Structure formats: C-alpha cells, structure tokens
Amino acid sequence: MNKETNKKFPENFLWGGAVAAHQIEGAYNEDGRGLSTADVMTAGANGLEREITEGIQTGKYYPNHEAIDFYHRYKDDIQLFRQLGLKAFRTSISWSRIFPNGDDENPNEAGLQFYDDLFDELLKNGIEPVITLSHFEIPYHLYEKYGGFRNKKLIDFFVTYAEVVMKRYKNKVKYWMTFNEINNQADDQNPLHVWTNSAMKLAPDENKEEVVFQAGLNELIASAKVVKQGHEINLEFQIGCMMAYVPIYGYSCYPPDAVAALKVMERRYFYSDIHARGHIPQYTLNYWKRQGLHIDYNKEELDALASGTVDYIGFSYYMSDAVTTLTETTGQAISDFPVAKLARNPYIRASDWGWQIDPVGLRYVLNTIYQRYEKPMFIVENGFGAYDKKEADGSVHDPYRIEYLSAHIEQMEKAINEDGVDLIGYTPWGIIDLVSFGSGEMEKRYGMIYVDKDNEGQGTLERSLKDSYNWYKNVISQNGL
Ligand code: BG6
C-alpha cells in the first residue's frame, strides 16, 4: 500500500451537505403549514441578537418567512447538488407542516406530500436524505398553549409526529436524528427565553437551570421513545442524536484550568451521555441533589431511556473554546462553573463573527467522543460563515472557505486512518447560502452555492456557484484524497 491509498476514506463515505427546513424553505404559511417557533424570530445582525416576538408583528422583518424559497425551487437546487456529486443531503422536516398545531388529531396531507416529493427527487438524483425531526423549531401553538418542552405533554406529541413521518418515509429515509444540537440550550444566554430547542419563556423568579434540565430530559425521553419506535417501524433505520461539540480546553497548564475544562464539558456531556448510554449520569444526579434541583421523571421514563439508545453520534463542529481560572486573564463568565471564564485562545484565529477556527479540535472531538461511546460518528455540520462578494461576471472567490474546509477534512482523515475512529459521513453546513440561525442574517454565508439575497431581504434569489463548489466536487469525486 502506498502512502496515498493509506489515506483513503471509507468506500461508502457519505459526502454531503446540510441545511435546516426553516433556514431554507420559506413558504411559511403555504399548504396548511402552521406557525413555527422559527417564524417569530426577527433579523438580528453581527453581534446583535434576534428578537423573539409574541406572534407575528407588522412592521418587523422575519427572514425565515421566505428564506431562500427552497420550497418552490428545490428541483433546480437538487440539480446543482447532483452536479456537485453529493451523496447525502441533510435537512429537517418542519414539524408544523405535518402537524400545524402540534396537537392536531390528524396530520396535514399537503405537508406530508411535500416531503414525499422532496425525498423522491433526492433519491432519483442519487442523493440519500438525512433527516432531523426537530431542528430548532416546534409548532408555535405548542409554545403558546403548553409552554414548550418543559411540559411533558410534548413528549407524546413528538412521538406521534415521529411515528407519522417515520412510517410514511420508511422506504425513503434511512438516517434520522431527533433534536438538533440538543445541548445548545444549556448555554442559551437569552434572559427571557430558552428558544433554540425547547421554546420556553422564563418567569423572572424561575430557576433557569432547573427548567432547562427538565426540558432537556423531556426531549431525551421523547428521543429515546422515538429511537425504539423507529426500529420497530424499520429495523434498518439508523437513528442518531445531534450534538454541538465545542471542545473546551484548559487555557493553561495551571492544574485548576484542567479541572475547569472537565467540569464545563460535564454539563455538555449530560445530553449525549443519556442518548448513548441510556441513563442519567451519576455526576448529574449528584449535581441535582447538591443544588436542590427538582427534576421530574419516573420509572417508565427511565426504562424508555435505557431501551432507546442511539445508533450513531451525529454532531456539529465549528470551533473550540478555552477556559481559565487565572485571575490575570480576562474572559466571558460561564454560568455553570462560575470560578472560571472563557478566554480567547492565542494559538488560533477567529472568523468575523468571533468563532475560533480550530481544525485540530475536530480530531480531538472525534477521538474523545469515539473513546467515550464507541459508536459510529457522523459530522452533520461544519462550515465557515463569511462575507462573500459576487463579482460582476457572477463568480464568487472564497479561498478562505476552501482553506477552512480542507483543513478540517485533513483532520478527519487522520482521525480515521491514524486513530481508528469510525466516521461514516460529512455534511458541511449551509451547502447553499441560507438564513443564519444565530443572527438571522443572509450575509453570514456558509454556502458553496451563492444565493442573491441580502440582510434586508432584497435580491433576485438567483443561484451561482462559488469556487468552493468546484473544489468540493473534486474532493467528492476523489473520495477525499
Ligand atoms: C448550528 C445550527 O448551530 O450552527 C444551525 O444547527 C446554524 O442551524 C449553524 O445555522 C450556524 O450558526 P449560525 O448562527 O451562523 O447560523
């Protein structure tokens, strides 16, 4: 074997691209779709949070309502994906297209039909759909009437929704994930809401930590029930979790920094430990007791956790962080471990949005998580948000994106071939420009396909290919070499 063949990616490696329903589809009120929690988020800006409004308010701009109009243009977009050579396309199902209110008696046939058509179109073009059931959105009615995922009734609503779509698409979709970046809510900084996964409003006197743990546990129970039920629907299903892995290093070799890094990661592992191991970790039970947190669960739910462990670990990787207890170093406070703070890593650069670029951190994550769970891993998001410029001739030169992605692919290769990690696929984020989740901007672009639309919603929506598109096409055609 020569050196080059040693560097091969597995034969059926899923080279793909990722998006989420509300960030691309638009058509927010068409064909019977109900309002979703993503539809009440206004546009923010770089460094400016999006506003979450009570229902839709006139005079405010909600970028998801039209997004990039994928709902009407998906056939053309899929042709661009096919020419790129994508083997997998990760998107989500918008729950409120299927159950407009979330607690409806019957599903909305037009919504089901849309995803039938979308999946057929992908399969016809040789592209495997990879589907998330809840990507940062739930039907808005479930927030209004039940208060979001803090309410245990949502467990049943989610399980019913999953049953309907898994039965309907059982011969079209093999790879599923339950909740996108389920651990993100743990460090949600919004004082009024915990919106991303759970769609909850907080009362001023509430113990936020308790509510967030409760909602997270409810989601984990719902997820485990869906995994079990999914395998009964089709034994071939591969059902994974979806974690945001941002490794937190000790900032220095001062030993308390190593302990701080460990403790901060513990809060994040709570979610994937339950998904993958099927029980509430003892370190969390001890923590709840020490803090006097009252989290509600029963024996039947614990049994559900044990019988619905995930088949693979899906995760996003964008950046790393560092934590320190050194008093002379400045940084941003961390609520769950107050003696420490997040400090800027002097060895790596950051994007225009302050996300620290660390390809080696991806190898670190692949190794630590594989050692922890020994399950196949799937990188379902990784990408570089940047300001792109479309030239007069329609070309877009984005060498920074190529540099970012290729550096991460190099580390994947090492994790597979030098470290023995079982990695099954890679779907870089925002294969086509879309609405940013964090800031609601269009101009924080991730795509290899440019979409002509700006932060104010102006533009022709015309698609054009960036340099990274041709680069990635080459990567896929050579299976990563
Ligand atoms: C992940 C989410 O957090 O990162 C996506 O799963 C999101 O929905 C992506 O879009 C990038 O974040 P942002 O804020 O730049 O859109």
Side-chain angles (χ1 to χ4, degrees), residues 58-85:
T58 38
K60 304 222 176 207
Y61 174 52
Y62 300 94
N64 299 72
H65 290 188
E66 181 192 52
I68 61 161
D69 195 31
F70 183 77
Y71 191 79
H72 299 113
R73 294 166 194 249
Y74 70 87
K75 287 194 178 159
D76 291 342
D77 288 338
I78 289 173
Q79 284 316 304
L80 298 178
F81 301 158
R82 182 185 61 77
Q83 285 154 26
L84 175 55

PDB file of all heavy atoms in Angstrom, residues 58-85:
ATOM      1  N   THR A  58     -46.676  43.272  12.744  1.00  0.00           N
ATOM      2  CA  THR A  58     -46.500  44.017  11.491  1.00  0.00           C
ATOM      3  C   THR A  58     -45.364  45.027  11.646  1.00  0.00           C
ATOM      4  O   THR A  58     -45.117  45.545  12.732  1.00  0.00           O
ATOM      5  CB  THR A  58     -47.790  44.777  11.092  1.00  0.00           C
ATOM      6  OG1 THR A  58     -48.379  45.290  12.271  1.00  0.00           O
ATOM      7  CG2 THR A  58     -48.767  43.907  10.337  1.00  0.00           C
ATOM      8  N   GLY A  59     -44.671  45.239  10.523  1.00  0.00           N
ATOM      9  CA  GLY A  59     -43.569  46.193  10.532  1.00  0.00           C
ATOM     10  C   GLY A  59     -42.234  45.556  10.905  1.00  0.00           C
ATOM     11  O   GLY A  59     -41.199  46.191  10.818  1.00  0.00           O
ATOM     12  N   LYS A  60     -42.239  44.297  11.316  1.00  0.00           N
ATOM     13  CA  LYS A  60     -40.965  43.631  11.634  1.00  0.00           C
ATOM     14  C   LYS A  60     -40.597  42.672  10.500  1.00  0.00           C
ATOM     15  O   LYS A  60     -41.480  42.150   9.816  1.00  0.00           O
ATOM     16  CB  LYS A  60     -41.088  42.834  12.928  1.00  0.00           C
ATOM     17  CG  LYS A  60     -41.542  43.692  14.091  1.00  0.00           C
ATOM     18  CD  LYS A  60     -40.788  43.388  15.355  1.00  0.00           C
ATOM     19  CE  LYS A  60     -41.246  44.370  16.400  1.00  0.00           C
ATOM     20  NZ  LYS A  60     -40.422  44.723  17.420  1.00  0.00           N
ATOM     21  N   TYR A  61     -39.303  42.456  10.348  1.00  0.00           N
ATOM     22  CA  TYR A  61     -38.826  41.590   9.270  1.00  0.00           C
ATOM     23  C   TYR A  61     -38.419  40.222   9.825  1.00  0.00           C
ATOM     24  O   TYR A  61     -37.578  40.125  10.718  1.00  0.00           O
ATOM     25  CB  TYR A  61     -37.644  42.254   8.550  1.00  0.00           C
ATOM     26  CG  TYR A  61     -36.996  41.354   7.523  1.00  0.00           C
ATOM     27  CD1 TYR A  61     -37.767  40.732   6.542  1.00  0.00           C
ATOM     28  CD2 TYR A  61     -35.617  41.115   7.528  1.00  0.00           C
ATOM     29  CE1 TYR A  61     -37.184  39.867   5.601  1.00  0.00           C
ATOM     30  CE2 TYR A  61     -35.027  40.278   6.590  1.00  0.00           C
ATOM     31  CZ  TYR A  61     -35.821  39.657   5.647  1.00  0.00           C
ATOM     32  OH  TYR A  61     -35.249  38.813   4.732  1.00  0.00           O
ATOM     33  N   TYR A  62     -39.053  39.192   9.290  1.00  0.00           N
ATOM     34  CA  TYR A  62     -38.786  37.815   9.715  1.00  0.00           C
ATOM     35  C   TYR A  62     -38.161  37.056   8.541  1.00  0.00           C
ATOM     36  O   TYR A  62     -38.877  36.638   7.613  1.00  0.00           O
ATOM     37  CB  TYR A  62     -40.095  37.130  10.130  1.00  0.00           C
ATOM     38  CG  TYR A  62     -40.793  37.819  11.287  1.00  0.00           C
ATOM     39  CD1 TYR A  62     -41.784  38.776  11.066  1.00  0.00           C
ATOM     40  CD2 TYR A  62     -40.463  37.499  12.602  1.00  0.00           C
ATOM     41  CE1 TYR A  62     -42.421  39.407  12.124  1.00  0.00           C
ATOM     42  CE2 TYR A  62     -41.102  38.129  13.676  1.00  0.00           C
ATOM     43  CZ  TYR A  62     -42.082  39.083  13.426  1.00  0.00           C
ATOM     44  OH  TYR A  62     -42.710  39.705  14.476  1.00  0.00           O
ATOM     45  N   PRO A  63     -36.852  36.889   8.565  1.00  0.00           N
ATOM     46  CA  PRO A  63     -36.180  36.355   7.373  1.00  0.00           C
ATOM     47  C   PRO A  63     -36.573  34.930   6.981  1.00  0.00           C
ATOM     48  O   PRO A  63     -36.430  34.547   5.827  1.00  0.00           O
ATOM     49  CB  PRO A  63     -34.692  36.426   7.734  1.00  0.00           C
ATOM     50  CG  PRO A  63     -34.636  36.571   9.209  1.00  0.00           C
ATOM     51  CD  PRO A  63     -35.908  37.218   9.644  1.00  0.00           C
ATOM     52  N   ASN A  64     -37.087  34.151   7.940  1.00  0.00           N
ATOM     53  CA  ASN A  64     -37.423  32.759   7.601  1.00  0.00           C
ATOM     54  C   ASN A  64     -38.694  32.642   6.761  1.00  0.00           C
ATOM     55  O   ASN A  64     -38.924  31.585   6.173  1.00  0.00           O
ATOM     56  CB  ASN A  64     -37.622  31.935   8.871  1.00  0.00           C
ATOM     57  CG  ASN A  64     -36.371  31.892   9.709  1.00  0.00           C
ATOM     58  OD1 ASN A  64     -36.010  32.893  10.326  1.00  0.00           O
ATOM     59  ND2 ASN A  64     -35.686  30.781   9.697  1.00  0.00           N
ATOM     60  N   HIS A  65     -39.488  33.696   6.716  1.00  0.00           N
ATOM     61  CA  HIS A  65     -40.779  33.555   6.020  1.00  0.00           C
ATOM     62  C   HIS A  65     -40.601  33.228   4.544  1.00  0.00           C
ATOM     63  O   HIS A  65     -41.393  32.488   3.972  1.00  0.00           O
ATOM     64  CB  HIS A  65     -41.615  34.831   6.188  1.00  0.00           C
ATOM     65  CG  HIS A  65     -42.100  35.008   7.599  1.00  0.00           C
ATOM     66  ND1 HIS A  65     -42.996  35.972   7.983  1.00  0.00           N
ATOM     67  CD2 HIS A  65     -41.790  34.332   8.742  1.00  0.00           C
ATOM     68  CE1 HIS A  65     -43.238  35.877   9.291  1.00  0.00           C
ATOM     69  NE2 HIS A  65     -42.498  34.900   9.764  1.00  0.00           N
ATOM     70  N   GLU A  66     -39.563  33.812   3.969  1.00  0.00           N
ATOM     71  CA  GLU A  66     -39.272  33.461   2.573  1.00  0.00           C
ATOM     72  C   GLU A  66     -37.990  32.627   2.477  1.00  0.00           C
ATOM     73  O   GLU A  66     -37.853  31.768   1.600  1.00  0.00           O
ATOM     74  CB  GLU A  66     -39.120  34.725   1.712  1.00  0.00           C
ATOM     75  CG  GLU A  66     -38.845  34.396   0.271  1.00  0.00           C
ATOM     76  CD  GLU A  66     -38.416  35.590  -0.558  1.00  0.00           C
ATOM     77  OE1 GLU A  66     -37.468  36.311  -0.141  1.00  0.00           O
ATOM     78  OE2 GLU A  66     -39.010  35.814  -1.630  1.00  0.00           O
ATOM     79  N   ALA A  67     -37.063  32.898   3.378  1.00  0.00           N
ATOM     80  CA  ALA A  67     -35.747  32.249   3.367  1.00  0.00           C
ATOM     81  C   ALA A  67     -35.162  32.269   1.949  1.00  0.00           C
ATOM     82  O   ALA A  67     -35.131  33.334   1.326  1.00  0.00           O
ATOM     83  CB  ALA A  67     -35.833  30.844   3.951  1.00  0.00           C
ATOM     84  N   ILE A  68     -34.758  31.115   1.410  1.00  0.00           N
ATOM     85  CA  ILE A  68     -34.227  31.145   0.033  1.00  0.00           C
ATOM     86  C   ILE A  68     -35.230  30.474  -0.925  1.00  0.00           C
ATOM     87  O   ILE A  68     -34.884  30.056  -2.014  1.00  0.00           O
ATOM     88  CB  ILE A  68     -32.822  30.510  -0.082  1.00  0.00           C
ATOM     89  CG1 ILE A  68     -32.832  29.028   0.334  1.00  0.00           C
ATOM     90  CG2 ILE A  68     -31.802  31.301   0.733  1.00  0.00           C
ATOM     91  CD1 ILE A  68     -31.622  28.248  -0.182  1.00  0.00           C
ATOM     92  N   ASP A  69     -36.465  30.357  -0.451  1.00  0.00           N
ATOM     93  CA  ASP A  69     -37.560  29.843  -1.285  1.00  0.00           C
ATOM     94  C   ASP A  69     -37.287  28.439  -1.833  1.00  0.00           C
ATOM     95  O   ASP A  69     -37.707  28.088  -2.937  1.00  0.00           O
ATOM     96  CB  ASP A  69     -37.825  30.823  -2.446  1.00  0.00           C
ATOM     97  CG  ASP A  69     -39.162  30.527  -3.115  1.00  0.00           C
ATOM     98  OD1 ASP A  69     -40.085  30.052  -2.438  1.00  0.00           O
ATOM     99  OD2 ASP A  69     -39.261  30.754  -4.343  1.00  0.00           O
ATOM    100  N   PHE A  70     -36.605  27.648  -1.040  1.00  0.00           N
ATOM    101  CA  PHE A  70     -36.308  26.264  -1.444  1.00  0.00           C
ATOM    102  C   PHE A  70     -37.600  25.489  -1.693  1.00  0.00           C
ATOM    103  O   PHE A  70     -37.641  24.576  -2.526  1.00  0.00           O
ATOM    104  CB  PHE A  70     -35.492  25.602  -0.314  1.00  0.00           C
ATOM    105  CG  PHE A  70     -35.031  24.204  -0.582  1.00  0.00           C
ATOM    106  CD1 PHE A  70     -33.950  23.955  -1.413  1.00  0.00           C
ATOM    107  CD2 PHE A  70     -35.646  23.114   0.045  1.00  0.00           C
ATOM    108  CE1 PHE A  70     -33.503  22.645  -1.634  1.00  0.00           C
ATOM    109  CE2 PHE A  70     -35.209  21.805  -0.171  1.00  0.00           C
ATOM    110  CZ  PHE A  70     -34.131  21.580  -1.018  1.00  0.00           C
ATOM    111  N   TYR A  71     -38.651  25.853  -0.984  1.00  0.00           N
ATOM    112  CA  TYR A  71     -39.933  25.141  -1.114  1.00  0.00           C
ATOM    113  C   TYR A  71     -40.389  25.100  -2.576  1.00  0.00           C
ATOM    114  O   TYR A  71     -40.929  24.103  -3.038  1.00  0.00           O
ATOM    115  CB  TYR A  71     -40.987  25.861  -0.265  1.00  0.00           C
ATOM    116  CG  TYR A  71     -42.285  25.095  -0.088  1.00  0.00           C
ATOM    117  CD1 TYR A  71     -42.377  24.053   0.827  1.00  0.00           C
ATOM    118  CD2 TYR A  71     -43.423  25.416  -0.836  1.00  0.00           C
ATOM    119  CE1 TYR A  71     -43.560  23.352   0.999  1.00  0.00           C
ATOM    120  CE2 TYR A  71     -44.618  24.720  -0.666  1.00  0.00           C
ATOM    121  CZ  TYR A  71     -44.678  23.686   0.253  1.00  0.00           C
ATOM    122  OH  TYR A  71     -45.853  22.988   0.428  1.00  0.00           O
ATOM    123  N   HIS A  72     -40.141  26.195  -3.300  1.00  0.00           N
ATOM    124  CA  HIS A  72     -40.565  26.237  -4.708  1.00  0.00           C
ATOM    125  C   HIS A  72     -39.431  25.934  -5.683  1.00  0.00           C
ATOM    126  O   HIS A  72     -39.683  25.718  -6.856  1.00  0.00           O
ATOM    127  CB  HIS A  72     -41.164  27.611  -5.036  1.00  0.00           C
ATOM    128  CG  HIS A  72     -42.382  27.915  -4.205  1.00  0.00           C
ATOM    129  ND1 HIS A  72     -42.404  28.911  -3.250  1.00  0.00           N
ATOM    130  CD2 HIS A  72     -43.598  27.334  -4.168  1.00  0.00           C
ATOM    131  CE1 HIS A  72     -43.590  28.934  -2.667  1.00  0.00           C
ATOM    132  NE2 HIS A  72     -44.337  27.991  -3.194  1.00  0.00           N
ATOM    133  N   ARG A  73     -38.205  25.974  -5.191  1.00  0.00           N
ATOM    134  CA  ARG A  73     -37.068  25.851  -6.108  1.00  0.00           C
ATOM    135  C   ARG A  73     -36.249  24.587  -5.908  1.00  0.00           C
ATOM    136  O   ARG A  73     -35.154  24.454  -6.449  1.00  0.00           O
ATOM    137  CB  ARG A  73     -36.117  27.060  -5.912  1.00  0.00           C
ATOM    138  CG  ARG A  73     -36.738  28.371  -6.309  1.00  0.00           C
ATOM    139  CD  ARG A  73     -35.923  29.545  -5.777  1.00  0.00           C
ATOM    140  NE  ARG A  73     -36.700  30.756  -5.885  1.00  0.00           N
ATOM    141  CZ  ARG A  73     -36.436  31.754  -6.720  1.00  0.00           C
ATOM    142  NH1 ARG A  73     -35.363  31.716  -7.482  1.00  0.00           N
ATOM    143  NH2 ARG A  73     -37.228  32.805  -6.774  1.00  0.00           N
ATOM    144  N   TYR A  74     -36.745  23.659  -5.070  1.00  0.00           N
ATOM    145  CA  TYR A  74     -35.876  22.544  -4.676  1.00  0.00           C
ATOM    146  C   TYR A  74     -35.442  21.682  -5.861  1.00  0.00           C
ATOM    147  O   TYR A  74     -34.344  21.128  -5.878  1.00  0.00           O
ATOM    148  CB  TYR A  74     -36.533  21.701  -3.565  1.00  0.00           C
ATOM    149  CG  TYR A  74     -37.721  20.875  -3.977  1.00  0.00           C
ATOM    150  CD1 TYR A  74     -37.563  19.601  -4.500  1.00  0.00           C
ATOM    151  CD2 TYR A  74     -39.014  21.380  -3.845  1.00  0.00           C
ATOM    152  CE1 TYR A  74     -38.658  18.849  -4.883  1.00  0.00           C
ATOM    153  CE2 TYR A  74     -40.115  20.627  -4.227  1.00  0.00           C
ATOM    154  CZ  TYR A  74     -39.927  19.367  -4.749  1.00  0.00           C
ATOM    155  OH  TYR A  74     -41.008  18.623  -5.137  1.00  0.00           O
ATOM    156  N   LYS A  75     -36.283  21.594  -6.899  1.00  0.00           N
ATOM    157  CA  LYS A  75     -35.886  20.727  -8.025  1.00  0.00           C
ATOM    158  C   LYS A  75     -34.632  21.263  -8.713  1.00  0.00           C
ATOM    159  O   LYS A  75     -33.721  20.500  -9.042  1.00  0.00           O
ATOM    160  CB  LYS A  75     -37.034  20.600  -9.035  1.00  0.00           C
ATOM    161  CG  LYS A  75     -38.134  19.724  -8.481  1.00  0.00           C
ATOM    162  CD  LYS A  75     -39.116  19.278  -9.518  1.00  0.00           C
ATOM    163  CE  LYS A  75     -40.116  18.369  -8.833  1.00  0.00           C
ATOM    164  NZ  LYS A  75     -41.368  18.216  -9.497  1.00  0.00           N
ATOM    165  N   ASP A  76     -34.594  22.568  -8.903  1.00  0.00           N
ATOM    166  CA  ASP A  76     -33.401  23.169  -9.525  1.00  0.00           C
ATOM    167  C   ASP A  76     -32.193  23.049  -8.590  1.00  0.00           C
ATOM    168  O   ASP A  76     -31.076  22.761  -9.032  1.00  0.00           O
ATOM    169  CB  ASP A  76     -33.641  24.647  -9.839  1.00  0.00           C
ATOM    170  CG  ASP A  76     -34.671  24.804 -10.960  1.00  0.00           C
ATOM    171  OD1 ASP A  76     -34.900  23.811 -11.685  1.00  0.00           O
ATOM    172  OD2 ASP A  76     -35.258  25.898 -11.084  1.00  0.00           O
ATOM    173  N   ASP A  77     -32.427  23.286  -7.307  1.00  0.00           N
ATOM    174  CA  ASP A  77     -31.304  23.203  -6.358  1.00  0.00           C
ATOM    175  C   ASP A  77     -30.739  21.780  -6.309  1.00  0.00           C
ATOM    176  O   ASP A  77     -29.521  21.589  -6.233  1.00  0.00           O
ATOM    177  CB  ASP A  77     -31.754  23.653  -4.962  1.00  0.00           C
ATOM    178  CG  ASP A  77     -31.972  25.172  -4.898  1.00  0.00           C
ATOM    179  OD1 ASP A  77     -31.405  25.887  -5.751  1.00  0.00           O
ATOM    180  OD2 ASP A  77     -32.712  25.644  -4.012  1.00  0.00           O
ATOM    181  N   ILE A  78     -31.622  20.809  -6.374  1.00  0.00           N
ATOM    182  CA  ILE A  78     -31.145  19.416  -6.330  1.00  0.00           C
ATOM    183  C   ILE A  78     -30.302  19.092  -7.562  1.00  0.00           C
ATOM    184  O   ILE A  78     -29.345  18.308  -7.488  1.00  0.00           O
ATOM    185  CB  ILE A  78     -32.339  18.448  -6.128  1.00  0.00           C
ATOM    186  CG1 ILE A  78     -32.863  18.603  -4.692  1.00  0.00           C
ATOM    187  CG2 ILE A  78     -31.946  16.984  -6.389  1.00  0.00           C
ATOM    188  CD1 ILE A  78     -34.133  17.844  -4.376  1.00  0.00           C
ATOM    189  N   GLN A  79     -30.594  19.725  -8.672  1.00  0.00           N
ATOM    190  CA  GLN A  79     -29.731  19.518  -9.854  1.00  0.00           C
ATOM    191  C   GLN A  79     -28.316  20.024  -9.573  1.00  0.00           C
ATOM    192  O   GLN A  79     -27.331  19.404  -9.962  1.00  0.00           O
ATOM    193  CB  GLN A  79     -30.323  20.221 -11.096  1.00  0.00           C
ATOM    194  CG  GLN A  79     -31.506  19.478 -11.695  1.00  0.00           C
ATOM    195  CD  GLN A  79     -31.256  17.962 -11.771  1.00  0.00           C
ATOM    196  OE1 GLN A  79     -30.279  17.504 -12.366  1.00  0.00           O
ATOM    197  NE2 GLN A  79     -32.126  17.187 -11.135  1.00  0.00           N
ATOM    198  N   LEU A  80     -28.233  21.161  -8.863  1.00  0.00           N
ATOM    199  CA  LEU A  80     -26.890  21.667  -8.510  1.00  0.00           C
ATOM    200  C   LEU A  80     -26.202  20.723  -7.522  1.00  0.00           C
ATOM    201  O   LEU A  80     -24.988  20.517  -7.593  1.00  0.00           O
ATOM    202  CB  LEU A  80     -26.996  23.078  -7.908  1.00  0.00           C
ATOM    203  CG  LEU A  80     -27.571  24.155  -8.836  1.00  0.00           C
ATOM    204  CD1 LEU A  80     -27.681  25.496  -8.104  1.00  0.00           C
ATOM    205  CD2 LEU A  80     -26.693  24.329 -10.091  1.00  0.00           C
ATOM    206  N   PHE A  81     -26.979  20.125  -6.626  1.00  0.00           N
ATOM    207  CA  PHE A  81     -26.387  19.168  -5.671  1.00  0.00           C
ATOM    208  C   PHE A  81     -25.897  17.914  -6.414  1.00  0.00           C
ATOM    209  O   PHE A  81     -24.857  17.355  -6.090  1.00  0.00           O
ATOM    210  CB  PHE A  81     -27.407  18.730  -4.607  1.00  0.00           C
ATOM    211  CG  PHE A  81     -27.993  19.848  -3.766  1.00  0.00           C
ATOM    212  CD1 PHE A  81     -29.215  19.682  -3.112  1.00  0.00           C
ATOM    213  CD2 PHE A  81     -27.338  21.061  -3.618  1.00  0.00           C
ATOM    214  CE1 PHE A  81     -29.763  20.686  -2.330  1.00  0.00           C
ATOM    215  CE2 PHE A  81     -27.888  22.087  -2.843  1.00  0.00           C
ATOM    216  CZ  PHE A  81     -29.102  21.892  -2.201  1.00  0.00           C
ATOM    217  N   ARG A  82     -26.685  17.496  -7.381  1.00  0.00           N
ATOM    218  CA  ARG A  82     -26.311  16.289  -8.137  1.00  0.00           C
ATOM    219  C   ARG A  82     -25.010  16.535  -8.907  1.00  0.00           C
ATOM    220  O   ARG A  82     -24.083  15.725  -8.887  1.00  0.00           O
ATOM    221  CB  ARG A  82     -27.427  15.901  -9.108  1.00  0.00           C
ATOM    222  CG  ARG A  82     -27.134  14.619  -9.899  1.00  0.00           C
ATOM    223  CD  ARG A  82     -28.204  14.326 -10.926  1.00  0.00           C
ATOM    224  NE  ARG A  82     -28.347  15.367 -11.946  1.00  0.00           N
ATOM    225  CZ  ARG A  82     -27.535  15.557 -12.983  1.00  0.00           C
ATOM    226  NH1 ARG A  82     -26.505  14.756 -13.169  1.00  0.00           N
ATOM    227  NH2 ARG A  82     -27.748  16.538 -13.842  1.00  0.00           N
ATOM    228  N   GLN A  83     -24.950  17.706  -9.558  1.00  0.00           N
ATOM    229  CA  GLN A  83     -23.728  18.011 -10.327  1.00  0.00           C
ATOM    230  C   GLN A  83     -22.512  18.136  -9.418  1.00  0.00           C
ATOM    231  O   GLN A  83     -21.383  17.892  -9.816  1.00  0.00           O
ATOM    232  CB  GLN A  83     -23.919  19.294 -11.131  1.00  0.00           C
ATOM    233  CG  GLN A  83     -24.820  19.078 -12.349  1.00  0.00           C
ATOM    234  CD  GLN A  83     -25.520  20.350 -12.788  1.00  0.00           C
ATOM    235  OE1 GLN A  83     -25.032  21.454 -12.546  1.00  0.00           O
ATOM    236  NE2 GLN A  83     -26.671  20.225 -13.420  1.00  0.00           N
ATOM    237  N   LEU A  84     -22.765  18.554  -8.183  1.00  0.00           N
ATOM    238  CA  LEU A  84     -21.676  18.656  -7.213  1.00  0.00           C
ATOM    239  C   LEU A  84     -21.207  17.267  -6.787  1.00  0.00           C
ATOM    240  O   LEU A  84     -20.079  17.093  -6.323  1.00  0.00           O
ATOM    241  CB  LEU A  84     -22.193  19.476  -6.014  1.00  0.00           C
ATOM    242  CG  LEU A  84     -21.379  19.687  -4.764  1.00  0.00           C
ATOM    243  CD1 LEU A  84     -20.022  20.289  -5.069  1.00  0.00           C
ATOM    244  CD2 LEU A  84     -22.115  20.612  -3.799  1.00  0.00           C
ATOM    245  N   GLY A  85     -22.076  16.294  -6.933  1.00  0.00           N
ATOM    246  CA  GLY A  85     -21.721  14.905  -6.582  1.00  0.00           C
ATOM    247  C   GLY A  85     -22.159  14.509  -5.181  1.00  0.00           C
ATOM    248  O   GLY A  85     -21.698  13.485  -4.663  1.00  0.00           O
TER     249      GLY A  85
END
